[in-house]
Structures are given as structure tokens and as C-alpha cells.
Amino acid sequence: MEAAAKSWRRISSKLSFLVFSLSILLLLTLDVPTVSASKTSNKSPRLKAYKSYIKKACNSAAYPKECYQSLSKYAPAIKTDPEKLYRVSLFVTIKAARRTSSSISSLWRLNGLSPADRSIVRDCGLTISDAIDQMKQSLTVMASLQGADRGRG
């Protein structure tokens, strides 16, 4: 039972991260500030501007420090593009949700779980699976909207 408790604590912390990530996505879709990138040819000032853009966007998140830590490494890809910021945020969140789902699957296989515990773990796994599906659907919708915008312009 001690192993189950340790696994549950691990799962609980991963679920917290998932909730955090979903919060970031929600906040980023509401209001993404625009920061213009530096016009110099030097990469360092541009990268600094990109990271500043991400930092500003993350300031409105529930966990700004964690938001920035998880997204700043993608600054060269995001630049100052709100659509790329949203898309990368979704990818990062999906990746975290998949890791959480994997941990939940491991927890499901533990011996000594009561039927009630198994039911809780199953419900948790289904909830995360649904969240992953919805995030993937968001990516699909974004891609189709971008395609529609390109067709008009």
C-alpha cells in the first residue's frame, strides 16, 4: 500500500502540472500581449525579445514562472507570434498529459488497490484522455483556420 501512496503522490503532482498547463492555455487564449522583436541582425537581442514576449504572455498565467520555464526554450520557434505561442503551448501540454496518462496506467497495474481506488484511477485516466483528445482537436481546428485564412489572402 505504501507503493500505491507514493505512486498516487507522483500522479497527484503530475495532475497538478496538467491543471497548470491547461490554465496557461486558457489564459493565453484570452489575452496575449504583443511585443515587437528587435530589428537588429544580432541573434541575441532577437532571442531576448522573443523571451520577453513569452514572459509577458506568461505573466497572466496562474503559474507565471512555470509557464515561462516550459515555453522559453521554444522562443526561437514562437518568436512573437500569438498563434505559434498557442500551438506550442498545446504541444507542451499534450506532452505533459501523455506522461501523466502513462503514470496513471502504471498506477492502475499496482497490486493492492481497492476496487474504489481502481475506479478513481480509471476515472482520472479517462479524464486525462479526454483532455488530450480535446487539445488535439484544438490543434486540428487551428490548422484548418490557418488554411482558411491562407485561402482568402
Side-chain angles (χ1 to χ4, degrees):
M1 205 53 156
E2 189 175 313
K6 285 182 183 177
S7 292
W8 183 250
R9 281 192 294 271
R10 250 193 346 245
I11 298 278
S12 179
S13 70
K14 289 183 181 199
L15 285 174
S16 295
F17 180 75
L18 179 63
V19 169
F20 149 73
S21 298
L22 292 172
S23 298
I24 289 173
L25 289 174
L26 178 62
L27 290 170
L28 288 176
T29 59
L30 295 177
D31 183 30
V32 179
T34 304
V35 176
S36 60
S38 172
K39 298 276 185 191
T40 65
S41 62
N42 189 345
K43 270 190 167 182
S44 182
R46 268 189 267 157
L47 183 60
K48 190 174 181 179
Y50 300 158
K51 287 186 175 187
S52 175
Y53 171 76
I54 292 169
K55 189 170 187 92
K56 268 191 169 180
C58 286
N59 282 340
S60 62
Y63 301 96
K65 182 179 177 184
E66 290 79 2
C67 172
Y68 181 75
Q69 286 174 342
S70 64
L71 295 176
S72 63
K73 60 185 157 195
Y74 301 102
I78 295 170
K79 298 183 175 153
T80 58
D81 185 334
E83 288 180 24
K84 287 181 182 177
L85 178 63
Y86 180 75
R87 205 170 330 127
V88 169
S89 297
L90 274 173
F91 280 119
V92 168
T93 305
I94 289 170
K95 188 175 173 181
R98 284 182 176 154
R99 285 192 307 264
T100 302
S101 181
S102 175
S103 295
I104 289 172
S105 294
S106 297
L107 185 60
W108 173 260
R109 291 187 289 272
L110 283 177
N111 292 327
L113 289 179
S114 71
D117 290 342
R118 284 198 188 281
S119 178
I120 291 169
V121 171
R122 182 181 55 85
D123 288 348
C124 184
L126 290 173
T127 301
I128 291 175
S129 179
D130 288 346
I132 292 170
D133 289 343
Q134 289 176 3
M135 288 183 281
K136 286 179 180 177
Q137 188 176 14
S138 293
L139 286 171
T140 302
V141 169
M142 278 196 65
S144 68
L145 290 175
Q146 287 175 329
D149 286 346
R150 282 191 203 115
R152 281 188 242 163

